[in-house]
Amino acid sequence: MESTRGKETTTGKETTVYVGKIPSEITNQQITSILKTCGNLSEWKRTRDIEPPDYKYKPFGFATFETLEGVLAAMRVLDGMQLYENVDEQLKARTETLLLNVNQATKIAAEKFNEERREKGLGEKDGEEDYERKRKIEKIMKGEMMDPAEDEDVDAGEFSEEKELEDKDEEDIQSGAKRATTTTTT
């Protein structure tokens, strides 16, 4: 693993999550958007039938997140989630729940990373951010949003501590660009 500005990046083995029990009506675009509420994806593979004419998607796939933060958020938010729960009264009766699972390498890496976060006092806002993720998923399921980035309330792919660092870096870059612009104009 390598560290980049407080983010743990991995080879992919440690950030791959099995996503199962996906309801058949959920499109690939919807499940991709749902996964993106937890973090940036480097890859999403959902198998489908190879028999024409449907080429229907199977009820499972594999999501590879860019960081362990995405894995942890997905496990907290999506494992056991009823996607239809708050969509409408008719669909509320459906009781399917998503099933997420990780391999041993992911489990070990995530536990170690989570412990490091706790030691540093990070993760205190996970509950609030998970609530916002669930709100976005509800909007996706209702068809009110397709891309989690559309909702500007919460940055779906990052924890707030990292977001604050990125915002500060962005402000520094922008103020530097303004200074450079003002010094070059005469």
Side-chain angles (χ1 to χ4, degrees):
M1 267 192 270
E2 64 184 68
S3 181
T4 307
R5 279 198 311 155
K7 294 182 189 175
E8 294 289 326
T9 58
T10 64
T11 60
K13 253 187 209 178
E14 296 91 3
T15 58
T16 299
V17 178
Y18 167 85
V19 183
K21 295 189 176 182
I22 302 169
S24 59
E25 300 82 11
I26 302 294
T27 67
N28 205 42
Q29 184 177 8
Q30 282 176 306
I31 195 68
T32 301
S33 294
I34 288 167
L35 290 164
K36 285 180 179 180
T37 64
C38 295
N40 294 326
L41 290 175
S42 56
E43 186 173 42
W44 165 243
K45 290 183 181 180
R46 185 176 180 187
T47 58
R48 60 183 187 178
D49 292 331
I50 57 172
E51 299 295 320
D54 314 314
Y55 300 104
K56 288 185 180 180
Y57 283 105
K58 301 267 186 178
F60 66 92
F62 296 89
T64 302
F65 289 92
E66 290 181 3
T67 63
L68 285 168
E69 290 98 336
V71 172
L72 291 170
M75 294 302 293
R76 284 193 315 268
V77 174
L78 300 177
D79 189 36
M81 177 180 251
Q82 289 182 289
L83 293 175
Y84 294 110
E85 187 173 22
N86 295 314
V87 177
D88 68 27
E89 287 303 314
Q90 186 178 8
L91 291 173
K92 188 176 184 176
R94 296 191 54 179
T95 59
E96 303 108 311
T97 59
L98 288 178
L99 171 69
L100 273 66
N101 204 349
V102 295
N103 63 23
Q104 191 64 23
T106 304
K107 184 176 182 179
I108 291 168
E111 286 173 354
K112 179 182 175 198
F113 182 72
N114 213 17
E115 183 61 33
E116 290 170 1
R117 288 180 73 230
R118 273 192 229 111
E119 288 173 6
K120 294 176 184 176
L122 302 176
E124 294 172 0
K125 294 186 178 182
D126 287 351
E128 293 170 30
E129 292 171 350
D130 290 349
Y131 173 80
E132 291 300 319
R133 289 179 176 104
K134 290 175 184 177
R135 189 180 61 75
K136 286 182 179 189
I137 292 167
E138 188 176 314
K139 286 182 174 183
I140 291 166
M141 291 301 297
K142 289 180 179 178
E144 297 172 0
M145 175 193 318
M146 280 314 294
D147 183 0
E150 290 176 11
D151 190 354
E152 297 176 1
D153 291 346
V154 170
D155 183 357
E158 308 300 331
F159 289 99
S160 59
E161 295 91 1
E162 292 167 359
K163 178 72 173 131
E164 289 172 16
L165 286 174
E166 289 175 6
D167 288 346
K168 175 126 178 62
D169 290 345
E170 185 63 31
E171 287 172 14
D172 292 344
I173 290 168
Q174 288 176 354
S175 64
K178 287 177 187 172
R179 281 192 301 270
T181 305
T182 56
T183 56
T184 56
T185 56
T186 53

